[in-house]
Amino acid sequence: MTALEPRDADVAPQLEDSAVPPGAAEGVLGRTYRALSVGIVSVVFLIAFEATAVGTAMPVAARELDGIPLYAFAFSAYFTTSLFAMVLSGQWADRRGPLAPLATGISAFGAGLLLSGTAGSMWLFIAGRAVQGLGGGLVIVALYVVISRAYPEHLRPSIMAAFAASWVIPSVVGPLASGSVTEHLGWRWVFVGIPVLVVFPLALALPAIRLRASGPADPEAPVEPYDRRRILLALGISLGAGLLQYAGQERNWLSLLPAAAGIALLVPAIRGLLPPGTGRAARGLPAVVLLRGVAAGSFIAAESFVPLMLVTERGLSPTLAGLSLAAGGGTWALGSYVQSRPRLEPHRERLMVGGMVLVAAAIAAAPAVLIHAVPVWTVAVAWAFGCFGMGMVIASTSVLLLKLSAPEEAGANSAALQISDGLANVLLLAAGGAAFAALGGGAVGAVHDAMESTASGSHPAAFAVVFLPMAAVALAGAWVAGRVRAI
């Protein structure tokens, strides 16, 4: 599942208050916003449920399709196509409104699930995941534009908190439900069953979006043509990320060629798609975009190794290892709720700095369980605090981005935020995986196989070389968080 200084000094709040929009006195579940809020939160709920449920069924699907060697591509196909779709969705939503990209994205998301669920080979399964990634990229950016168009500024933190809360139940129920369905009915039902659930949010959200957020931001302004350069850069960033992931899995001298090609594609694409000054954390919007990537990338890269560490180093079952992270869904939602409180709005920057310190501390504390005298529940406690920090930071970056974006720029800037998020996940996970493998930890693509058997060989240094650098990245994020306020 973000207080910023307004562009025109301190007069903006007074100007906004003088023209009170309809429903301004209501909450996100008031009569004016109820259908829209329930509809779009239901969309996020389904995305969250899919992410947790499909991940559980994926290893069984790969084994039955004789696709274990291609297992990692089932994940990378989703991420690479979603990066392209984010840019396309941003331009589409800015020019025509968010309704069409959202409806198309949900449809593509469901079609990808059906294609994967009925696939007879691993390559068809991967193709389904790629279609699903296109849908996911279209949906997430379109949702941000819906929020910027349909909700007044003071309600945006609350709807972002609702997005975070919609991940709580799926994070706990999703793996259990998926495991049960996979065991008793087969893995295909996990994929083909989810699209049926798309009908409800579509029926509820689309009419409300058509009423409150359809069309361009300024209907009287001429519609600008699509920026073909940005679309080409989006293709470049997708291909570059895919090549880097491929090179990271191969880990031989020949893999340097696709790695170099990936970097050559990524560098100009990143410079062209992210706001100027993002790389140096320039104050305001660039720092917000950079912070999103630093926070998400460091946390997700570290979290990916927690279950494997608990299984191989402390002998936990895969189920218990996974459940050690379950409390994080609740504390993440709590952190997002805290940032939505109006009385804390003047202190948003401090909340974000504190949140990143909590994230860094959680990541640094996790490898303490490599010392067998340290109780294994230490990880669960540390991760609960880390998720609380992430809840404050991730929701705050979303709120800040919309506050710093003009209505006609919401789509492009939301795409930049999501690209920073997704690309940082890819790059930091690839870097962590390469370091892990270099110190004898094995391939990231073989995580499932490692979790199936509690390895007798111990490689604590391989885990430490993942967690400690990611903790340093997160700590650097605390400095970036101090620069999100525009001057």
Side-chain angles (χ1 to χ4, degrees):
M1 238 266 163
T2 153
L4 288 183
E5 296 283 341
R7 274 186 294 271
D8 295 318
D10 290 331
V11 298
Q14 287 85 350
L15 290 175
E16 291 175 3
D17 291 341
S18 64
V20 181
E26 301 179 28
V28 294
L29 292 179
R31 185 174 62 180
T32 302
Y33 304 103
R34 185 181 300 126
L36 178 62
S37 298
V38 174
I40 62 176
V41 169
S42 296
V43 171
V44 176
F45 180 89
L46 285 178
I47 292 174
F49 186 81
E50 180 276 336
T52 56
V54 167
T56 302
M58 195 88 75
V60 180
R63 186 168 60 246
E64 289 192 8
L65 295 173
D66 297 322
I68 293 297
L70 301 174
Y71 181 75
F73 288 101
F75 292 95
S76 61
Y78 181 99
F79 287 121
T80 54
T81 56
S82 66
L83 287 172
F84 169 74
M86 289 170 187
V87 177
L88 178 61
S89 183
Q91 293 204 33
W92 193 354
D94 282 341
R95 286 157 177 78
R96 303 293 181 182
L99 183 63
L102 181 61
T104 304
I106 293 176
S107 300
F109 193 80
L113 284 167
L114 289 174
L115 181 57
S116 292
T118 57
S121 68
M122 190 61 181
W123 281 115
L124 278 177
F125 183 89
I126 292 171
R129 291 287 292 167
V131 173
Q132 195 182 341
L134 286 171
L138 289 172
V139 167
I140 190 63
V141 174
L143 283 177
Y144 274 69
V145 179
V146 169
I147 293 170
S148 72
R149 301 270 188 91
Y151 293 90
E153 186 174 307
H154 72 281
L155 289 182
R156 292 173 188 167
S158 296
I159 195 66
M160 290 299 178
F163 278 9
S166 67
W167 279 80
V168 176
I169 295 177
S171 66
V172 177
V173 176
L176 298 176
S178 176
S180 179
V181 170
T182 300
E183 181 179 348
H184 294 97
L185 298 177
W187 65 268
R188 295 183 185 275
W189 286 100
V190 176
F191 288 84
V192 302
I194 293 177
V196 178
L197 304 177
V198 172
V199 175
F200 170 74
L202 276 177
L204 197 60
L206 295 187
I209 294 172
R210 184 178 290 109
L211 176 65
R212 303 191 60 83
S214 62
D218 185 357
E220 298 181 359
V223 178
E224 297 184 4
Y226 285 86
D227 189 337
R228 295 182 179 179
R229 176 179 174 273
R230 287 183 65 85
I231 293 177
L232 288 175
L233 290 175
L235 283 172
I237 206 168
S238 296
L239 291 175
L243 287 170
L244 280 181
Q245 290 177 79
Y246 173 79
Q249 293 171 48
E250 290 300 308
R251 299 188 313 279
N252 55 47
W253 287 109
L254 289 178
S255 67
L256 292 177
L257 294 177
I263 293 172
L265 287 169
L266 279 176
V267 171
I270 292 172
R271 290 172 62 90
L273 293 174
L274 300 186
T278 298
R280 55 184 174 84
R283 287 191 173 274
L285 184 63
V288 172
V289 172
L290 178 61
L291 178 61
R292 180 61 164 261
V294 169
S298 60
F299 187 81
I300 298 302
E303 186 179 58
S304 300
F305 287 88
V306 170
L308 180 62
M309 179 176 64
L310 294 177
V311 169
T312 59
E313 302 300 316
R314 297 302 298 264
L316 269 66
S317 69
T319 300
L320 285 177
L323 288 176
S324 68
L325 305 177
T331 57
W332 189 307
L334 179 61
S336 187
Y337 171 81
V338 167
Q339 66 79 36
S340 72
R341 297 301 85 198
R343 69 177 62 181
L344 294 178
E345 180 67 24
H347 310 290
R348 187 175 296 280
E349 181 182 335
R350 294 181 181 177
L351 288 177
M352 298 171 75
V353 172
M356 288 309 303
V357 170
L358 285 176
V359 172
I363 297 174
V369 298
L370 293 170
I371 303 171
H372 283 253
V374 176
V376 291
W377 51 259
T378 302
V379 171
V381 174
W383 225 247
F385 279 99
C387 285
F388 178 80
M390 284 292 289
M392 291 192 295
V393 172
I394 296 301
S396 289
T397 57
S398 301
V399 172
L400 291 178
L401 177 110
L402 296 178
K403 188 170 184 177
L404 286 176
S405 300
E408 66 275 8
E409 298 173 345
N413 289 342
S414 296
L417 188 75
Q418 296 302 322
I419 287 172
S420 178
D421 187 318
L423 189 60
N425 284 340
V426 171
L427 296 182
L428 290 180
L429 185 56
F436 182 73
L439 290 185
V444 177
V447 164
H448 176 68
D449 295 334
M451 290 179 67
E452 288 294 321
S453 60
T454 54
S456 57
S458 180
H459 302 281
F463 288 102
V465 81
V466 173
F467 286 99
L468 297 182
M470 295 307 161
V473 172
L475 193 59
W479 173 78
V480 177
R483 300 178 59 82
V484 298
R485 185 181 296 273
I487 295 179

